[in-house]
């Protein structure tokens, strides 16, 4: 074998190993953002489970505020559906938008409930209501942290996928589109943990 053949073989081996490393990195980054979404899903499910308990606790005090309570439950159910759809395809722009919109509706309904509860001192002072509101506040913080971790992982995936030369290979490896960030309508306000006071 002459030297030129050895050089060609060496170059081909390097190219093959590089292509393999690009593929492996794309897979690792996609798995990282999918795991990030799974963490969001855990926290959102926890929050969705707390909301019916909160409504049940408030129901006895707010019997004539039925419309507000029903709006909270309907918004919660819509958010649960949005989460189910988004969890089937984390990173999909349409799924992330549906979840973000459902979360916005839920946030508005919870805000109306908070305003209503403020008018009932006995309900605000209830030990059960205080405990539920503390758990809800803690969960909101966890959602914000999980969302940030997910968005960081999506950004890393998209940056690598869009860089050269991975952008040339990404489509062939099943990574043809960017993953979508999970951004809520009130992105600026979400940086602070919501104030839940009963």
């Amino acid at each position: 074998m002459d030297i030129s053949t050895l050089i060609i073989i060496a170059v081909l081996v390097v190219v093959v190993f590089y292509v393999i490393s690009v593929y492996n990195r794309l897979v690792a980054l996609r798995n990282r953002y999918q795991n990030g979404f799974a963490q969001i899903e855990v926290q959102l499910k926890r929050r969705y489970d707390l909301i019916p308990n909160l409504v049940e606790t408030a129901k006895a005090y707010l019997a004539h505020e039925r419309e507000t309570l029903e709006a909270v439950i309907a918004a919660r159910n819509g958010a649960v559906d949005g989460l189910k759809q988004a969890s089937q395809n984390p990173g999909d722009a349409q799924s992330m938008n549906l979840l973000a919109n459902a979360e916005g509706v839920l946030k508005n309904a919870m805000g109306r409930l908070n305003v209503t509860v403020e008018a009932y001192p006995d309900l605000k002072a209830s030990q059960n209501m205080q405990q539920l509101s503390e758990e809800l506040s803690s969960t909101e913080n966890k959602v914000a942290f999980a969302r940030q971790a997910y968005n960081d992982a999506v950004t890393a995936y998209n940056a690598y996928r869009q860089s050269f030369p991975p952008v040339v290979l990404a489509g062939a490896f099943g990574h043809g589109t960017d993953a979508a960030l999970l951004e809520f309508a009130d992105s600026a306000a979400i940086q602070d943990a919501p104030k839940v006071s009963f």
Side-chain angles (χ1 to χ4, degrees):
M1 234 184 255
D2 63 357
I3 192 81
S4 62
T5 306
L6 288 176
I7 291 173
I8 291 172
I9 291 172
V11 168
L12 287 175
V13 167
V14 168
V15 168
V16 166
F17 277 113
Y18 180 75
V19 168
I20 290 170
S21 74
V22 166
Y23 176 81
N24 289 340
R25 176 130 170 114
L26 285 167
V27 169
L29 290 170
R30 180 178 53 199
N31 289 342
R32 192 171 300 152
Y33 83 71
Q34 287 175 339
N35 179 55
F37 186 81
Q39 299 309 311
I40 292 172
E41 184 177 16
V42 166
Q43 298 307 324
L44 289 177
K45 283 181 179 178
R46 175 177 160 71
R47 185 176 67 178
Y48 299 158
D49 290 345
L50 286 171
I51 290 171
N53 295 332
L54 190 72
V55 169
E56 282 301 314
T57 300
K59 202 180 272 188
Y61 292 91
L62 306 175
H64 60 286
E65 300 284 353
R66 182 180 178 142
E67 184 179 307
T68 301
L69 297 173
E70 288 175 352
V72 169
I73 292 300
R76 180 246 182 216
N77 292 342
V80 168
D81 291 341
L83 179 61
K84 283 180 187 174
Q85 233 177 8
S87 66
Q88 291 173 358
N89 195 4
D92 176 60
Q94 184 178 359
S95 298
M96 294 299 109
N97 285 336
L98 285 171
L99 178 58
N101 291 337
E103 282 293 314
V105 170
L106 179 58
K107 182 176 175 142
N108 289 337
M110 291 298 293
R112 286 192 305 275
L113 178 63
N114 291 342
V115 168
T116 303
V117 168
E118 285 293 322
Y120 295 88
D122 291 343
L123 178 57
K124 271 178 69 170
S126 162
Q127 182 69 26
N128 196 19
M129 189 60 104
Q130 288 176 356
Q131 181 183 6
L132 285 169
S133 68
E134 179 61 36
E135 285 184 46
L136 191 59
S137 180
S138 172
T139 301
E140 291 293 341
N141 289 333
K142 292 175 184 174
V143 168
F145 289 128
R147 194 175 133 258
Q148 181 62 45
Y150 167 78
N151 284 342
D152 289 346
V154 165
T155 300
Y157 171 79
N158 289 345
Y160 184 73
R161 197 196 72 71
Q162 295 168 2
S163 64
F164 184 80
V167 71
V168 175
L169 303 170
F173 292 152
H175 299 268
T177 59
D178 285 347
L181 297 172
L182 180 55
E183 296 178 316
F184 296 126
D186 59 347
S187 258
I190 199 122
Q191 300 306 320
D192 298 325
K195 305 292 187 259
V196 181
S197 59
F198 293 100

